[in-house]
């Protein structure tokens, strides 16, 4: 039985379930008060609803085999060299930035180097620059590597924006998506003050998964669908009708065009017309950002009735995430 932990609260909770559904991995949870569920499309997987801040530790300690978590939280909570590792690093939702926020009344502080100078001044006055944050490990590493050396971290799980006003910290380091909340609390960001950019990622306890053939098979089924769905978002399926003497004749025209030669080449099938003329439906997969060029090239070589659809999955010759799952397996 593969145990997948997903957030039960916070900003990632609803997007995580929506993402799994889009990947064909809908979570079946008949009772919203129940903290376990299953994924009918992959038998043998049990979903555990956990606090988002706990998932990295649950996977690390082996209470869960896989988990969906913010990358920032994984970096903060994960153990260096531990059993938990990232298997898919960008799931495409839960984007955020961990940034420094300083009082907007500090008109002379506009950059990270200004903070470095300020921390030295504070030290000369006999104290450190105090920073309230939920990410003390990440913040400390960032500040020390950028020359802000005299600091005192104030771990906090509450509303950080009030910390400078309440007086228990001088500045904050917190998640921000628009900056609106910081601005409303008279805080500002500084140049160079983005500590890290983050989005949701999929993590695994690799020793647990590779030790069980059943878990490895279930985990592979999950990452295959996720990776193929993520890849499908980069492409369109484009179909056009073209006249020609034969499929080979049509293929030759299409393959001479840069934007409509497809991932490996066109799929061509005969269209049975009333007048009996040679007509073929040509389908190619094109990159999203080259759609209009592809349509224009079809037009130039006589293509008509061009239709465009979004594939649900694109499976390449190898699943990179599945390869990472199986790497170093005995």
């Amino acid at each position: 039985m593969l145990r997948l932990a997903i957030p039960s609260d916070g900003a990632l909770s609803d997007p995580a379930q929506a993402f799994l559904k889009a990947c064909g991995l809908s979570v079946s949870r008949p009772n919203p008060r129940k903290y376990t569920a299953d994924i009918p499309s992959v038998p043998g997987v049990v979903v555990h609803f956990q606090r988002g801040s706990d998932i990295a530790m649950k996977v690390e300690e082996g209470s869960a085999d896989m988990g969906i978590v913010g990358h920032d939280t994984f970096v903060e909570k994960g153990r260096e060299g531990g059993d938990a590792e990232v298997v898919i690093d960008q799931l495409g939702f839960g984007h955020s930035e961990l940034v420094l926020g300083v009082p907007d009344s500090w008109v002379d502080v506009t950059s990270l180097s200004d903070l470095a100078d300020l921390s030295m001044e504070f030290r000369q006055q006999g104290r450190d620059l105090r920073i309230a944050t939920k990410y003390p490990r990440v913040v400390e590493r960032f500040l020390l590597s950028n020359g802000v050396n005299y600091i005192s971290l104030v771990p906090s799980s509450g509303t950080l924006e009030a910390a400078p006003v309440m007086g228990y910290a001088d500045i904050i380091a917190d998640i921000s998506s628009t900056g609106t909340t910081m601005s409303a609390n008279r805080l500002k960001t500084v140049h160079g003050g983005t500590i890290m950019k983050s989005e949701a990622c999929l993590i695994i306890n690799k020793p647990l998964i590779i030790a069980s053939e059943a878990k490895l098979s279930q985990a592979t089924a999950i990452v295959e669908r996720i990776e193929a769905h993520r890849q499908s978002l980069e492409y369109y399926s484009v179909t056009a009708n073209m006249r020609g003497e034969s499929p080979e004749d049509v293929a030759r025209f299409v393959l001479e065009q840069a934007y409509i030669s497809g991932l490996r080449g066109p799929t061509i099938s005969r269209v049975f017309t009333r007048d009996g003329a040679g007509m073929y439906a040509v389908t190619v997969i094109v990159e999203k950002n080259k759609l209009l060029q592809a349509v224009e090239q079809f037009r130039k070589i006589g293509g008509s009735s061009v239709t465009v659809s979004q594939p649900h999955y694109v499976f390449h010759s190898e699943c990179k995430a599945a390869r990472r799952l199986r790497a170093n397996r005995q």
Side-chain angles (χ1 to χ4, degrees):
M1 184 74 74
L2 182 83
R3 301 158 300 173
L4 170 65
I6 67 173
S8 62
D9 61 356
L12 296 185
S13 178
D14 290 340
Q17 293 187 62
F19 173 77
L20 289 171
K21 182 178 181 180
C23 293
L25 299 164
S26 293
V27 176
S28 177
R29 188 189 190 188
N31 184 350
R33 293 181 179 274
K34 192 175 179 181
Y35 287 94
T36 59
D38 57 17
I39 297 178
S41 60
V42 186
V45 175
V46 60
V47 175
H48 291 284
F49 290 88
Q50 294 287 303
R51 288 200 313 169
S53 58
D54 292 342
I55 289 176
M57 290 184 292
K58 296 295 183 186
V59 174
E60 175 64 39
E61 71 186 22
S63 301
D65 302 299
M66 305 182 82
I68 292 177
V69 64
H71 190 254
D72 48 6
T73 302
F74 177 70
V75 173
E76 175 65 29
K77 304 282 187 179
R79 183 165 65 87
E80 285 189 31
D83 291 337
E85 62 181 73
V86 175
V87 68
I88 299 180
D89 59 358
Q90 295 177 329
L91 296 183
F93 66 93
H95 294 88
S96 64
E97 290 187 4
L98 178 60
V99 300
L100 294 171
V102 306
D104 60 10
S105 59
W106 293 8
V107 293
D108 294 332
V109 179
T110 60
S111 68
L112 204 52
S113 59
D114 291 337
L115 277 180
D117 293 340
L118 188 63
S119 73
M120 292 183 66
E121 291 178 17
F122 279 11
R123 172 51 65 96
Q124 290 168 357
Q125 296 169 11
R127 72 180 186 93
D128 290 336
L129 180 67
R130 300 167 302 164
I131 304 131
T133 184
K134 302 168 187 171
Y135 301 85
R137 287 176 58 193
V138 174
V139 173
E140 181 179 42
R141 193 180 309 151
F142 174 80
L143 290 175
L144 293 179
S145 66
N146 283 280
V148 186
N149 297 317
Y150 305 111
I151 57 175
S152 176
L153 295 163
V154 184
S156 175
S157 59
T159 305
L160 300 183
E161 285 81 0
V165 173
M166 294 177 69
Y168 67 86
D170 301 303
I171 67 174
I172 70 168
D174 199 11
I175 297 297
S176 176
S177 54
T178 64
T180 303
T181 304
M182 279 200 182
S183 179
N185 287 279
R186 307 201 63 179
L187 296 171
K188 65 179 182 180
T189 57
V190 296
H191 182 68
T194 297
I195 298 169
M196 70 178 297
K197 294 182 179 180
S198 176
E199 66 182 273
C201 63
L202 183 68
I203 62 174
I204 58 169
N205 184 308
K206 191 166 184 176
L208 286 179
I209 288 180
I210 64 175
S212 164
E213 192 62 45
K215 288 185 178 181
L216 182 59
S217 175
Q218 292 151 353
T220 300
I222 289 174
V223 300
E224 282 269 16
R225 290 187 188 222
I226 290 176
E227 186 171 300
H229 177 67
R230 292 282 296 143
Q231 287 167 166
S232 76
L233 301 178
E234 303 297 322
Y235 298 97
Y236 284 127
S237 177
V238 182
T239 299
N241 289 336
M242 290 188 61
R243 294 190 180 278
E245 297 296 326
S246 66
E248 291 78 9
D249 182 46
V250 173
R252 181 171 55 81
F253 274 114
V254 171
L255 288 172
E256 288 175 352
Q257 313 302 316
Y259 293 115
I260 57 175
S261 55
L263 293 178
R264 291 289 182 272
T267 299
I268 300 175
S269 57
R270 185 177 177 186
V271 177
F272 292 88
T273 59
R274 289 189 178 87
D275 61 7
M279 177 74 78
Y280 296 89
V282 180
T283 300
V284 294
I285 301 296
V286 303
E287 295 176 28
K288 267 190 172 179
N289 59 359
K290 296 176 180 172
L291 173 64
L292 294 182
Q293 294 94 325
V295 171
E296 187 58 29
Q297 285 199 334
F298 266 123
R299 287 171 173 161
K300 283 184 177 177
I301 62 173
S304 61
S305 303
V306 179
T307 60
V308 179
S309 60
Q310 173 76 61
H312 196 66
Y313 298 109
V314 172
F315 292 94
H316 289 312
S317 57
E318 181 186 37
C319 175
K320 294 177 182 176
R323 183 179 61 191
R324 283 193 286 273
L325 274 177
R326 296 174 180 275
N328 303 321
R329 190 176 184 228
Q330 299 298 318

